[in-house]
Amino acid sequence: MEAPTTTVAALDPASFTKALDRLTDILRACVREGASVGFVAPFERHEARAYWLNRVAPAHAAGAKVVLIATLGGEVAGTAQLDLDSMPSKRHHAEVSKVLVDPAHRRAGVARALMGEIERRAAKEGRWLLTLDTAGDAAEALYRSLGYSLAGSIPHYARDAFEDRYDATRLIYKDLRRS
């Protein structure tokens, strides 16, 4: 039997609204698993939904943010964002954020597929320098396997999702001209 195929697509504002509940579920599941994506426990459904509606939807509707979803076997399995809102001196740069894969679909190539599409869309927009930050060893290993380099680490960058401590983050980048 063949493994299900991962497909990645950008959401338009109408499909964003249709995907909102699933995006909310994926975000909550990732935070429950300990993802360092800006939220701390307890993390309620209404907070996750508010993130998508208040922080992502306006930039997405304005064209300043690309929101991707990855579908695996007909189910939305992950999402990623590409922030294109930059100052004039940084029109070559875009930030990758919230690369989230539902824990039930990890290790199936979903994040890799999302990152491939992120890079394709960035290049199409003339953005050849991509940056992101991560606190996870597995995530960093994925990014490094895709040709990303470590720029450095910032100690005490963000509060841990579960414990009263502050964790470091690692700044990672890729120059698409060298790919």
Side-chain angles (χ1 to χ4, degrees):
M1 184 167 112
E2 266 186 54
T5 303
T6 301
T7 57
V8 179
L11 296 175
D12 60 28
S15 56
F16 179 90
T17 301
K18 289 179 186 169
L20 182 60
D21 286 339
R22 184 67 182 126
L23 294 171
T24 298
D25 292 343
I26 291 171
L27 176 57
R28 287 194 69 225
C30 290
V31 171
R32 278 194 308 269
E33 292 283 319
S36 178
V37 291
F39 302 98
V40 295
F43 183 54
E44 303 298 331
R45 182 171 179 70
H46 72 274
E47 293 173 284
R49 188 174 176 85
Y51 163 76
W52 291 107
L53 288 173
N54 300 332
R55 305 264 323 227
V56 178
H60 177 254
K65 186 179 293 274
V66 176
V67 179
L68 301 177
I69 58 164
T71 306
L72 180 64
E75 182 180 351
V76 176
T79 182
Q81 298 171 38
L82 181 65
D83 186 354
L84 301 170
D85 188 19
S86 58
M87 297 300 291
S89 66
K90 291 176 34 176
R91 296 282 193 243
H92 65 292
H93 169 256
E95 186 170 351
V96 178
S97 64
K98 304 294 187 277
V99 180
L100 304 170
V101 177
D102 185 314
H105 296 292
R106 291 202 177 136
R107 314 273 326 146
V110 174
R112 189 171 292 279
L114 283 163
M115 290 303 295
E117 185 63 13
I118 283 279
E119 291 180 13
R120 190 185 76 70
R121 291 201 175 252
K124 182 179 171 190
E125 294 288 335
R127 309 303 177 102
W128 48 264
L129 181 63
L130 296 180
T131 60
L132 59 93
D133 67 86
T134 186
D137 292 337
E140 183 178 346
L142 168 73
Y143 300 131
R144 284 182 178 258
S145 79
L146 295 171
Y148 286 74
S149 299
L150 178 66
S153 179
I154 302 173
H156 314 294
Y157 186 77
R159 186 172 179 273
D160 183 84
F162 301 108
E163 297 180 32
D164 188 18
R165 70 168 195 244
Y166 292 86
D167 298 328
T169 194
R170 286 164 247 153
L171 303 176
I172 301 195
Y173 72 96
K174 183 174 185 178
D175 185 333
L176 297 178
R177 299 174 302 173
R178 297 189 180 140
S179 298

